[in-house]
């Protein structure tokens, strides 16, 4: 396990709650995510360039060179003086087999950083071989109370993905997440698991430690290793599953809950393709995802009985995999009938008028005209879109 760099230590001093959660000392209270992003941007464009240059600076330096307020300069200096204490806490974690990777470290998942940009966390706690993070991966998400058909589908597709040399991305939760993870490990595959809590507790499990030692499992968490479950952290974890994968399989989804919200967040941001299981008995969320995204190149229906290669499917462009044999309906020359299904689908996903104008690069007046026409027609189809920085 590599010694943490001065650069990463400085970032952790300002963003990690390793010290604050123990002492509750206000001098050790770290930056929030948004505060850190603003400060990092300011620092990156200043003469200091990187956080490691802050160790020997005082309040007067920061107020003069970064134009910080006295209170902000004081906060930075207060945090930086605890470098020794932070190093001790990091060593304790390393003794447990847990490392920390900041955005600039090689063990930080690069696809997550590239796709999420400022939304990516300042660092991840991790355990296992960081090399697994550089392998091509397919994500699996689904309900905690998945039915037997969903479970069997997951096992079959996971085995095929493993046979083709790709890793599995899991969220480590009960249901489809753990099914995909356990099946991959049992079949000799590799797994990257983004967990929302209790990383320390996971490491007490014999089967987890064995998979890590064998180089088959790497676990990442954006929250403290002893943090308990919260719905907020669980929802935040979803975006890491999607963005680390080349594409994610939605095995079973209701129309509420984490799987549904995660899939729609992915589509709203156009991160990666989703492969949605389809059959007569799939949950309502699966059907709705397909209905709402009938022309969305990022949404690929996948039959419950299909033996098609997910890995090969994801190598194709979204247009190749999703638009074969589909025809645009309605009048041939009136562009309204081409754009309205797209507008309607984005409205269902929660886009505001200003966001739609920016997304489609149209003037507000033009959007208003389309909205007026759309409100006058009866809904006869469920259409959706058919098109879709480096920090410290």
């Amino acid at each position: 396990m590599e010694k943490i760099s001065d650069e990463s230590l400085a970032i952790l001093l300002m963003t990690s709650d390793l010290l604050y959660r123990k002492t509750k000392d206000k001098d050790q209270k770290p930056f929030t995510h948004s505060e850190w992003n603003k400060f990092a941007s300011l620092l990156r464009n200043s003469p200091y360039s990187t956080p490691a240059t802050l160790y020997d600076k005082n309040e007067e330096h920061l107020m003069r060179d970064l134009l910080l307020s006295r209170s902000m300069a004081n906060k930075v200096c207060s945090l930086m003086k605890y470098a020794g204490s932070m190093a001790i806490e990091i060593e304790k974690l390393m003794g447990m087999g847990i490392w920390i990777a900041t955005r600039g470290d090689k063990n930080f998942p690069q696809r997550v950083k590239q796709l999420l940009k400022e939304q990516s966390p300042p660092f991840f706690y991790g355990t296992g071989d960081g090399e697994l993070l550089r392998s091509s991966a397919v994500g699996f998400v689904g309900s905690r109370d998945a039915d037997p058909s969903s479970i069997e589908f997951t096992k079959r597709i996971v085995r095929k993905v493993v046979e083709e040399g790709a890793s599995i991305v899991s969220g480590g939760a009960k249901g489809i997440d753990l099914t995909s993870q356990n099946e991959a490990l049992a079949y000799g595959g590799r797994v990257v698991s983004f967990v929302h809590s209790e990383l320390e507790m996971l490491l007490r499990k014999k089967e987890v430690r064995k998979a890590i030692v064998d180089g088959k499992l790497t676990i990442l968490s954006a929250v403290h290793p002893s943090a308990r479950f919260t719905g907020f952290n669980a929802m935040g974890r979803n975006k890491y599953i999607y963005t680390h994968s080349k594409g994610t399989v939605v095995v079973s989804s209701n129309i509420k809950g984490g799987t549904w919200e995660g899939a729609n967040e992915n589509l709203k941001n156009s991160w990666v393709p989703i492969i949605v299981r389809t059959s007569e008995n799939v949950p309502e969320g699966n059907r709705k995802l397909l209905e709402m995204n009938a022309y969305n190149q990022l949404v690929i229906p996948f039959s419950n009985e299909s033996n098609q290669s997910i890995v090969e499917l994801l190598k194709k462009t979204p247009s190749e995999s999703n638009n074969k044999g589909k025809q645009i309906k309605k009048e041939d020359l009136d562009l309204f009938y081409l754009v309205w299904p797209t507008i309607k689908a984005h409205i269902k996903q929660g886009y505001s008028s200003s966001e739609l104008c920016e997304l489609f690069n149209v003037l507000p007046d033009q959007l208003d005209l389309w909205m007026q026409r759309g409100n006058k027609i009866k809904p006869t189809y469920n259409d959706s879109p058919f098109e879709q920085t480096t920090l410290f």
Side-chain angles (χ1 to χ4, degrees), residues 66-314:
L66 301 179
L67 302 180
L68 296 182
S69 66
R70 182 168 292 279
S71 61
M72 180 60 75
N74 176 263
K75 180 179 179 67
V76 173
C77 292
S78 294
L79 290 170
M80 294 300 293
K81 71 182 182 182
Y82 290 102
S85 299
M86 180 64 75
I88 291 172
E89 292 302 312
I90 293 170
E91 284 189 14
K92 289 179 181 177
L93 289 178
M94 292 176 69
M96 298 167 57
I98 298 173
W99 41 260
I100 308 179
T102 64
R103 287 171 178 166
D105 294 331
K106 68 178 184 179
N107 279 354
F108 193 98
Q110 294 304 301
R111 283 181 57 81
V112 173
K113 182 170 73 171
Q114 291 163 5
L115 291 174
L116 292 185
K117 299 180 173 65
E118 287 83 1
Q119 290 186 64
S120 64
F123 60 89
F124 278 108
Y125 298 99
T127 184
D129 188 353
E131 284 299 317
L132 283 186
L133 301 174
R134 289 173 274 286
S135 62
S136 181
V138 177
F140 283 78
V141 296
S143 174
R144 286 174 171 265
D145 55 353
D147 61 277
S149 175
S150 298
I151 297 294
E152 288 307 311
F153 171 86
T154 301
K155 291 180 177 180
R156 179 169 63 84
I157 300 302
V158 163
R159 290 194 295 269
K160 189 168 181 62
V161 170
V162 168
E163 286 174 356
E164 294 180 279
S167 299
I168 301 299
V169 187
S170 163
K174 177 185 175 183
I176 296 303
D177 287 22
L178 272 181
T179 297
S180 63
Q181 176 173 316
N182 292 338
E183 188 67 17
L185 293 175
Y187 206 64
R190 300 165 298 174
V191 176
V192 174
S193 182
F194 289 91
V195 298
H196 50 61
S197 59
E198 300 179 334
L199 177 58
E200 282 184 7
M201 190 172 295
L202 278 176
L203 289 175
R204 297 173 190 170
K205 296 182 177 182
K206 182 179 179 180
E207 65 274 17
V208 170
R209 294 199 306 272
K210 183 179 187 307
I212 290 171
V213 170
D214 291 344
K216 298 296 186 180
L217 175 64
T218 297
I219 307 176
L220 297 174
S221 175
V223 299
H224 190 278
S226 64
R228 299 295 183 180
F229 171 86
T230 69
F232 178 80
N233 289 337
M235 292 298 293
R237 173 276 319 266
N238 288 338
K239 62 173 65 72
Y240 310 140
I241 300 172
Y242 281 93
T243 53
H244 185 67
S245 72
K246 294 290 187 180
T248 295
V249 182
V250 179
V251 178
S252 62
S253 174
N254 298 312
I255 57 173
K256 292 182 179 180
T259 303
W260 173 260
E261 295 298 332
N264 281 288
E265 181 184 28
N266 173 73
L267 293 176
K268 182 176 180 178
N269 290 281
S270 298
W271 289 325
V272 299
I274 63 172
I275 296 92
V276 182
R277 183 173 71 99
T278 177
S279 74
E280 291 184 2
N281 299 317
V282 292
E284 185 178 3
N286 289 50
R287 295 195 297 273
K288 286 290 185 182
L289 282 171
L290 293 171
E291 289 171 4
M292 291 169 58
N293 296 278
Y295 292 105
N296 191 335
Q297 297 172 6
L298 290 180
V299 180
I300 306 167
F302 194 90
S303 169
N304 194 68
E305 294 76 30
S306 176
N307 287 316
Q308 189 174 6
S309 165
I310 294 287
V311 173
E312 290 301 317
L313 195 59
L314 291 173

